[in-house]
């Protein structure tokens, strides 16, 4: 009982509380600090890069050949490769992810859900290097039977496999959003004579739309940052193209490729990694912020 | 109860002897038993619901009022463990017949829930939902027409006519409930089931809904579940009292409240339990 404690004991208790609070604060702050440090390093090294290469050349140049004797530093081919593979992944994940989410949330019996959910979670635990070889050694040969002149390295195959990789993530987050829709809306719709499918598509999905959109945006942000699959299966030549059948490098693929090489520290070519990394960071940051904003908005509805 | 402006039962609806001539039965239920898994929730309930009038179901919590109400539009079908036996006929046609289309049934038997549940869509789209599903409107003007007349019948049109395209969830609780009534009306049902439609509303909004119900009975057969005996007395012509899954007695509302035949009814209306 508080009243039974002496002043001294109470003071000691308060001190201990403070100490624990402080330790927790430090722990929480350290992760923020590490993130900030990474951003600081990225910005610092990028500044070095931009002091030799004009930022407009970097942003609008259409050729990326930093390792050649006549280097050019246009990020567009890498950015294009990233966006194109992401786009292919999105086209692939959108229907499958949505159908899976609708099925799991509105149709699956609890027993079926209990079987499928762990499988999905298992899939999202597969190392991406496995997906990379799956793309190179299975998906590409498979596609080549439909598309005769498809090169061994191509964006299409990598994009589809990225799509496969993010299905569990997108489907599971979308399902959470749909299950959060209160049952009285479903009852209202069913009582109007709607079928379960009509209820799912016309009431539940629209009611959960910001959460579902957030799931897709977070999925996109993972696709943008995906590295192994594209590094393995999409080829590593920077190539500004809109045709997913061609090989192309992405920002991430370039970064691994160069980081694995033996570039001298502090050289301009070395600094390109940081500039490219900064672009990648900003890109995923934008998607994540959009995703979190949407999720937040969708919570406010009910 | 006297603070409400809702109409009380007019003496005209009650015969001199206190017994009202019940209209043609719209719904007949015979020996209805309902089970949730092993547990039986309703025991041999038989009742006639007269056409174009208001029937109220009263009784202590858990006695099976909602369960019985949900038999009439087969909403119990959506609960996997729920099983219904017995006969329920609407206009002399068995609604539990094999192969019967529940979609059609639910278009004929609308439902309003305890908690207003407008869809997170515009007011217009809320009303248009049913007509769209059932393909009732041939053109945009048709649909506009249905939306407007449904809102008018639900006494909501004047309040929302300038914001039909704003969200239905932005309305007040009472307005939301009238929106849900309008939504149910929009598909042209014959019967409207209401499960404690006013329990989430303040007295003024409640009075408006009661007024509306009194008005709607000219065109619809209405069954209302309520915990408020005053409400049952104000809006309904007939009242059924349930207790522990049994229909204890059913009759003209005024008789139930002034001269109940069963001891349990008497105990309930005098507030001795429930
Ligand atoms: N989905 C369900 N699963 C299992 N049992 C249920 C279910 N719904 C209702 N019951 C049970 O059936 C009985 C009747 O419930 P019902 O909801 O019809 O009562 P009610 O008269 O509407 O009560 P209230 O006035 O509290 O709404 C209760 O014992 C309840 O526990
Ligand atoms: Mg109930």
């Amino acid at each position: 009982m508080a009243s039974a404690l002496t002043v001294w004991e109470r003071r000691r208790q308060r001190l201990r509380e403070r100490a624990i609070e402080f330790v927790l604060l430090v722990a929480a702050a350290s992760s923020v600090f590490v993130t900030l440090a990474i951003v600081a390093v990225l910005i610092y090294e990028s500044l070095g890069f931009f002091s030799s290469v004009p930022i407009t050349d970097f942003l609008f140049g259409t050729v990326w050949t930093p390792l050649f004797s006549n280097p050019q530093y246009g990020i567009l081919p890498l950015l294009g490769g990233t966006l194109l593979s992401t786009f292919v992944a999105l086209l692939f994940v959108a229907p499958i992810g949505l159908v899976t989410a609708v099925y799991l949330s509105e149709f699956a019996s609890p027993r079926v859900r209990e079987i499928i959910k762990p499988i999905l979670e298992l899939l999202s635990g597969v190392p991406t290097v496995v997906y990379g070889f799956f793309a190179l050694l299975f998906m590409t040969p498979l596609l080549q039977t439909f598309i005769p002149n498809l090169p061994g390295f191509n964006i299409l195959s990598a994009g589809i496999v990225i799509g496969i990789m993010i299905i569990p993530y997108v489907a599971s987050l979308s399902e959470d959003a749909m299950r959060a829709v209160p049952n009285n809306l479903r009852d209202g719709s069913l009582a109007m004579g709607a079928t379960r499918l009509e209820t799912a598509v016309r009431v539940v999905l629209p009611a959960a739309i910001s959460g579902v959109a957030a799931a897709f945006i977070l999925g996109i942000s993972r696709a943008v940052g995906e590295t192994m699959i594209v590094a393995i299966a999409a080829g590593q030549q920077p190539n500004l193209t809109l045709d997913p059948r061609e090989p192309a490098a992405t920002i991430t693929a370039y970064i691994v490729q160069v980081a694995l090489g033996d570039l001298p520290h502090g050289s301009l070519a070395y600094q390109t990694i940081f500039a490219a990394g900064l672009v990648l960071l900003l890109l995923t940051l934008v998607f994540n912020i959009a995703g979190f904003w949407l999720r937040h908005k969708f919570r406010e509805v009910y | 109860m006297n603070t409400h402006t809702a109409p009380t039962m007019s003496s005209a609806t009650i015969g001199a002897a206190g017994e009202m001539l019940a209209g043609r039965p719209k719904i007949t239920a015979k020996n209805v038993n309902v089970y949730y898994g092993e547990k039986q929730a309703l025991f041999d309930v038989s009742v006639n619901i007269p056409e174009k009038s208001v029937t109220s179901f009263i009784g202590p919590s858990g006695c099976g009022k909602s369960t019985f109400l949900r038999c009439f539009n087969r909403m119990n079908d959506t609960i996997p463990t729920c099983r219904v036996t017995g006969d329920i006929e609407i206009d002399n046609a068995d609604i539990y017949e094999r192969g019967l289309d529940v979609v059609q049934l639910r278009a004929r038997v609308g439902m309003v829930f305890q908690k207003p549940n407008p869809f997170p869509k515009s007011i217009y789209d809320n009303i248009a939902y049913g007509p769209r599903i059932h393909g009732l409107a041939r053109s945009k003007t048709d649909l506009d027409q249905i939306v407007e007349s449904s809102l008018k019948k639900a006494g909501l049109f004047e309040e929302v006519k300038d914001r039909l395209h704003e969200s239905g969830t932005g309305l007040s609780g009472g307005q939301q409930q009238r929106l849900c009534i309008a939504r149910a009306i929009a598909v042209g049902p014959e019967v409207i089931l209401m499960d404690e439609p006013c329990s989430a509303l303040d007295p003024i909004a409640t009075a408006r809904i009661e007024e509306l119900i009194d008005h709607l009975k000219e065109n619809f057969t209405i069954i209302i579940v309520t915990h408020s005996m005053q409400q049952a007395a104000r809006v309904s012509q007939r009242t059924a009292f349930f207790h522990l899954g049994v229909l204890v007695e059913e009759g003209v509302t005024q008789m139930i409240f002034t001269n109940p035949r069963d001891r349990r009814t008497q105990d309930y209306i005098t507030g001795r339990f429930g």
Side-chain angles (χ1 to χ4, degrees), chain A residues 234-254:
Chain A
Q236 304 202 335
Q237 310 98 308
N239 175 12
L240 188 59
T241 177
L242 285 176
D243 183 351
R245 288 169 302 187
E246 289 179 24
T250 62
I251 299 175
T252 50
Y254 171 77

Side-chain angles (χ1 to χ4, degrees), chain A:
Chain A
M1 261 190 217
S3 54
L5 295 176
T6 64
V7 175
W8 174 240
E9 273 172 326
R10 241 181 285 162
R11 191 173 296 167
R12 228 179 51 185
Q13 212 171 40
R14 207 176 314 143
L15 230 102
R16 218 181 53 188
E17 291 275 316
R18 286 258 177 83
I20 290 171
E21 236 172 74
F22 182 74
V23 170
L24 291 178
L25 178 73
V26 169
S30 64
S31 70
V32 175
F33 177 76
V34 169
T35 312
L36 287 181
I38 292 172
V39 174
V41 170
L42 274 180
I43 290 175
Y44 176 77
E45 295 282 353
S46 302
L47 283 180
F49 173 78
F50 288 124
S51 65
S52 356
V53 177
I55 194 158
T56 46
D57 285 9
F58 176 74
L59 287 180
F60 304 113
T62 56
V63 181
W64 179 260
T65 51
L67 307 181
F68 289 17
S69 53
N70 175 22
Q72 290 196 327
Y73 302 98
I75 191 79
L76 282 183
L78 295 185
L79 193 59
T82 294
L83 293 180
L84 189 60
S85 62
T86 301
F87 184 68
V88 170
L90 185 63
L91 283 188
F92 192 77
V93 76
I96 301 179
L98 263 188
V99 168
T100 310
V102 167
Y103 172 74
L104 283 180
S105 146
E106 304 300 307
F107 292 93
S109 66
R111 264 188 57 205
V112 172
R113 193 182 302 125
E114 262 162 41
I115 297 170
I116 293 186
K117 266 265 185 178
I119 294 179
L120 284 185
E121 267 144 39
L122 209 69
L123 272 178
S124 59
V126 175
T128 57
V129 66
V130 176
Y131 283 107
F133 278 100
F134 175 72
L136 183 67
L137 302 177
F138 177 79
M139 189 53 74
T140 299
L142 183 74
L143 291 172
Q144 278 166 337
T145 62
F146 303 101
I147 310 167
N149 296 322
L150 191 70
F153 295 112
N154 61 81
I155 286 282
L156 185 62
S157 166
I160 289 175
V161 174
I162 293 176
I164 292 174
M165 180 193 80
I166 61 177
I167 284 171
Y169 186 70
V170 170
S172 166
L173 281 180
S174 301
E175 191 223 342
D176 290 347
M178 290 181 65
R179 294 243 277 165
V181 172
N183 260 332
N184 66 3
L185 291 185
R186 290 184 186 87
D187 286 347
S189 172
L190 293 172
M192 295 293 304
T195 61
R196 280 168 86 192
L197 185 63
E198 283 167 337
T199 301
V201 174
R202 303 174 80 143
V203 173
V204 180
L205 198 55
I209 195 66
S210 42
V212 172
F216 275 88
I217 288 175
L218 295 176
I220 289 174
S221 133
R222 281 190 63 172
V224 165
E226 174 45 37
T227 307
M228 286 322 279
I229 298 172
V230 281
I232 293 171
Q236 304 202 335
Q237 310 98 308
N239 175 12
L240 188 59
T241 177
L242 285 176
D243 183 351
R245 288 169 302 187
E246 289 179 24
T250 62
I251 299 175
T252 50
Y254 171 77
I255 293 174
V256 240
Q257 181 194 3
V258 173
L260 292 178
D262 45 3
L263 288 171
H265 250 248
S267 71
L268 196 54
Y270 173 80
Q271 283 173 333
T272 58
I273 297 178
F274 295 94
L278 191 61
V279 171
L280 192 65
L281 181 82
L282 290 178
L283 208 56
T284 50
L285 194 67
V286 167
F287 282 124
N288 278 324
I289 289 173
F292 282 116
W293 179 75
L294 275 170
R295 265 159 78 90
H296 178 69
K297 209 182 123 194
F298 122 86
R299 277 211 196 93
E300 284 175 342
V301 175
Y302 314 120

Side-chain angles (χ1 to χ4, degrees), chain B residues 131-177:
Chain B
R132 280 181 177 141
I133 278 178
H134 296 289
L136 300 182
R138 254 171 229 97
S139 62
K140 175 88 172 76
T141 25
D142 256 12
L143 196 58
D144 291 350
Q145 188 63 48
I146 293 175
V147 170
E148 185 176 331
S149 75
S150 306
L151 283 170
K152 278 182 175 156
K153 284 181 202 154
L156 188 60
F157 187 68
E158 288 306 316
E159 287 156 73
V160 301
K161 64 181 178 204
D162 300 322
R163 44 176 174 151
L164 290 180
H165 295 283
E166 287 171 31
S167 176
T169 52
L171 298 172
S172 75
Q175 289 173 327
Q176 287 188 16
Q177 198 59 302

Side-chain angles (χ1 to χ4, degrees), chain B residues 237-264:
Chain B
Q237 284 71 59
R238 296 183 76 83
T239 294
F241 171 67
F242 291 80
H243 186 230
L244 299 175
V246 173
L247 174 58
V248 174
E249 80 176 277
E250 190 273 342
V252 170
T253 298
Q254 201 170 39
M255 293 299 285
I256 297 280
F257 285 113
T258 54
N259 196 7
R261 273 163 301 183
D262 195 285
R263 180 64 197 264
R264 288 166 290 178

